[in-house]
Amino acid sequence: LAGVGREAGWRVECCDLTAEFCRAYCSPPAANRLCRAISGNDYAQVDALYFDWEDQFQSISGGFEHALDFRLLSGYLLRRFRDLPLARVVNELKDGTIHSPFLRQHVVPRLAASRPEIVGVTIASEHQVVPAIEVLQLVREVLPESYVLLGGNVVTRLRDSTAFAVLRSLADGVVVFQGELAFQTVLDYISEMGVKRARQELPGVMGHESIPVESWPTPSFDGLDLRGYVGISALPYVSTRGCYWGRCSFCAIPMGWSQMGYAGSAPAEFVVKQLVRMGEETGVPRFKFVDEAMPPAKARRLGRLLSGVGSIEWEAYARLEPAWEEPTLLHEAAAGGLRKLYFGLEQAPSTDRLVLNKNDRGNITRIMRNCREAGVKVHAFCMVGYPGTGRADALATASFLVDHADVIDTADLVGFRLERGKAVPGTRPNPTREVDWRVSVPFVPTEMGVLCCEEVQELEGECQELLWERAPRLLHPLYRVVSPWGPDGLPAAMGSTVHSSQDVYATDR
Ligand code: SF4
């Protein structure tokens, strides 16, 4: 959206309040110490850096009880609000949270000084819902004349819940699905008519399920301190909206783009042009494609185009398609900067994948071996406790990861969750325990052998424990913010330059 504003001639400033909170109160692990510990395989030191950082957050109490409920991956737990409906959260927030002193001392003065005409807030994960409401309340108080726009994947996924009306009441406009055209409309309207008329005349809910690729602007990161993130900086980038398969019954992520779960893919030539521009503007030549699934043919094309650009490196999520077994594809993509692929393995190959409805038939061990030969690292996403799978499948999955730690760089292993709005055979939602702003809902088993929520949670803990004991690198949150970029996790590309977009096309021809 910052890209939309910039192309329309507005001055736009992005703020990452999570990052700003961290920098205001803590000293994150320095990149050189982290890289040294990782390249020396010194996990005691990586742990020390991690827990020292986590301890710093836990020691900020500010008189609030949340301090000890802090985890680096999810932030402060804000236990008091966890099981309340959103309408009650809004009322209870008047007593403040551990974020309040930060917002009042660091964010409010800046907002008051710059007096933006529009403030946009994105909620991209469930953990951000309560903090975002506090921000929205504060913006209303400090900037009564600004137009407030709210959007993000979580907002879209809550659109049929009672929480949505509460979200609407906190903003002038709410965007569901994709926001470029809605944002453009708001900008145009305010330019011509002012905020007051925009409030009266623009619809309260906007958004589109399909936006032509030509209208996808080059992302802008203006305002963000890109060097201040932990690990080696990489820019997030999306080149495909939704998943070209989109039918796994457990997965709701692509539904944030459109009800169909798919909303188009930018051609590789278009993508390369944008990557080069972003690299030139930010000095960061590393990209994390956050597309749900990069088609193998697109990865090959990107590799061919980018091999002429020089120093751009990238990583991407992918489905376990047989095409990834082909060594030449991986070599071509690697020559063009591909450093890591993230596959949805879900379960060890001993589990019958039909139950997952994933329709992916690639041979994971062959793919992983070929990736290693091509110099492409592998991440495996795994999920235990899925209906139709049991404890033995879960333990086999954890063991598979440990046994293949020579070809698997990192992994995630989580318990099955029933996503809001999804129907998974063998389960039904349990409305008596539902919280209206959560993106996953409690469920009860409807078939013999299906594990209940508590059993899934227990199994998840048991499998994660096994991984921590036997292959800690796989799960380590600090290792993975370094590992994709360069051999042995060292920042090979740091300080390198990016060629101009003209070079890209000259080379391609
Ligand atoms: S392939 Fe991946 S992104 Fe696509 S629907 Fe399945 S789990 Fe979701």
Side-chain angles (χ1 to χ4, degrees):
L1 297 184
V4 174
R6 177 173 66 175
E7 284 179 21
W10 285 63
R11 190 175 75 77
V12 185
E13 192 181 326
C14 307
C15 310
D16 180 341
L17 296 185
T18 307
E20 289 182 27
F21 181 93
C22 297
R23 289 173 206 145
Y25 296 109
C26 306
S27 310
N32 57 352
R33 289 184 67 194
L34 186 55
C35 290
R36 215 174 19 246
I38 286 171
S39 61
N41 220 12
D42 182 356
Y43 280 88
Q45 179 60 15
V46 182
D47 273 351
L49 292 169
Y50 182 89
F51 289 114
D52 172 62
W53 194 24
E54 192 170 73
D55 288 350
Q56 294 178 48
F57 286 97
Q58 288 174 347
S59 67
I60 308 165
S61 85
F64 294 97
E65 80 278 18
H66 321 300
L68 288 174
D69 281 335
F70 177 84
R71 297 289 174 271
L72 269 179
L73 296 184
S74 49
Y76 294 98
L77 205 51
L78 306 178
R79 216 178 271 277
R80 183 152 56 95
F81 306 99
R82 210 170 46 171
D83 297 322
L84 298 179
L86 204 61
R88 279 197 54 202
V89 171
V90 169
N91 286 331
E92 305 263 331
L93 271 171
K94 64 183 179 314
D95 298 332
T97 70
I98 197 158
H99 302 124
S100 310
F102 161 74
L103 293 171
R104 297 230 168 247
Q105 287 160 24
H106 295 263
V107 181
V108 166
R110 211 168 75 208
L111 286 176
S114 62
R115 304 180 65 78
E117 278 180 283
I118 304 171
V119 177
V121 174
T122 300
I123 307 181
S125 89
E126 191 181 275
H127 299 295
Q128 295 176 341
V129 172
V130 177
I133 288 176
E134 192 172 1
V135 169
L136 288 165
Q137 288 178 324
L138 211 61
V139 168
R140 274 278 185 252
E141 181 193 318
V142 183
L143 299 169
E145 283 161 20
S146 298
Y147 184 93
V148 179
L149 196 61
L150 173 67
N153 179 290
V154 171
V155 174
T156 301
R157 285 164 70 183
L158 293 177
R159 66 191 181 283
D160 295 323
S161 123
T162 51
F164 193 71
V166 180
L167 293 172
R168 278 193 65 176
S169 71
L170 296 165
D172 296 305
V174 176
V175 174
V176 292
F177 300 115
Q178 300 165 57
E180 285 96 338
L181 299 181
F183 193 48
Q184 184 72 59
T185 304
V186 171
L187 295 175
D188 292 346
Y189 215 90
I190 288 178
S191 290
E192 271 185 44
M193 311 281 190
V195 169
K196 215 167 161 187
R197 288 277 298 276
R199 276 195 182 132
Q200 288 163 353
E201 291 170 20
L202 285 176
V205 181
M206 297 167 268
H208 294 80
E209 292 190 54
S210 173
I211 293 184
V213 170
E214 311 79 66
S215 300
W216 299 2
T218 305
S220 159
F221 296 87
D222 290 350
L224 298 181
D225 174 9
L226 296 172
R227 304 276 170 199
Y229 287 88
V230 173
I232 298 172
S233 312
L235 303 177
Y237 178 78
V238 61
S239 80
T240 302
R241 300 188 169 187
C243 173
Y244 63 88
W245 169 245
R247 273 172 267 175
C248 303
S249 40
F250 56 86
C251 172
I253 299 169
M255 308 301 159
W257 295 109
S258 77
Q259 302 200 54
M260 297 294 292
Y262 184 74
S265 185
E269 289 75 6
F270 177 96
V271 172
V272 168
K273 210 170 172 182
Q274 292 204 334
L275 296 186
V276 169
R277 181 172 169 197
M278 289 158 69
E280 286 170 345
E281 285 172 353
T282 62
V284 178
R286 292 169 293 278
F287 297 91
K288 180 180 187 71
F289 281 86
V290 292
D291 307 26
E292 277 82 356
M294 165 85 61
K298 186 164 171 180
R300 188 195 293 271
R301 184 83 186 127
L302 280 174
R304 284 179 183 167
L305 291 171
L306 286 169
S307 63
V309 175
S311 59
I312 284 185
E313 296 181 295
W314 48 287
E315 57 177 356
Y317 301 144
R319 283 168 47 77
L320 280 171
E321 310 285 10
W324 293 112
E325 292 174 29
E326 200 200 311
T328 56
L329 163 66
L330 290 165
H331 281 283
E332 281 189 77
L338 175 63
R339 295 290 172 260
K340 187 163 177 176
L341 284 170
Y342 293 68
F343 290 107
L345 171 63
E346 317 305 351
Q347 297 264 325
S350 49
T351 303
D352 181 356
R353 289 183 85 70
L354 282 180
V355 74
L356 299 164
N357 198 34
K358 286 208 72 144
N359 194 35
D360 52 357
R361 297 164 207 278
N363 180 315
I364 178 67
T365 34
R366 197 172 304 142
I367 291 173
M368 292 190 305
R369 235 185 4 249
N370 290 349
C371 279
R372 186 175 58 181
E373 271 161 29
V376 175
K377 290 181 175 171
V378 166
H379 177 98
F381 288 110
C382 297
M383 179 183 53
V384 297
Y386 183 76
T389 70
R391 188 180 150 73
D393 297 302
L395 294 176
T397 302
S399 298
F400 179 84
L401 295 176
V402 172
D403 294 344
H404 293 82
D406 58 329
V407 280
I408 300 176
D409 185 50
T410 49
D412 280 306
L413 185 148
V414 297
F416 162 73
R417 286 170 184 78
L418 182 60
E419 297 297 321
R420 183 177 288 280
K422 296 294 287 189
V424 173
T427 66
R428 70 170 165 74
N430 181 356
T432 57
R433 291 176 55 200
E434 186 193 323
V435 178
D436 64 351
W437 55 273
R438 299 278 193 85
V439 290
S440 58
V441 296
F443 64 88
V444 283
T446 55
E447 287 171 17
M448 286 283 288
V450 173
L451 304 178
C452 68
C453 294
E454 290 73 18
E455 288 168 325
V456 171
Q457 216 175 339
E458 226 170 85
L459 194 54
E460 173 189 274
E462 191 181 339
C463 293
Q464 287 182 351
E465 201 55 43
L466 194 146
L467 294 179
W468 278 118
E469 273 171 23
R470 294 174 53 194
R473 188 202 69 225
L474 293 178
L475 293 183
H476 211 296
L478 287 187
Y479 171 74
R480 62 185 59 190
V481 294
V482 170
S483 82
W485 314 113
D488 304 324
L490 287 171
M494 281 181 107
S496 52
T497 53
V498 179
H499 296 192
S500 73
S501 50
Q502 279 166 347
D503 290 338
V504 177
Y505 293 105
T507 309
D508 188 37
R509 277 200 294 272

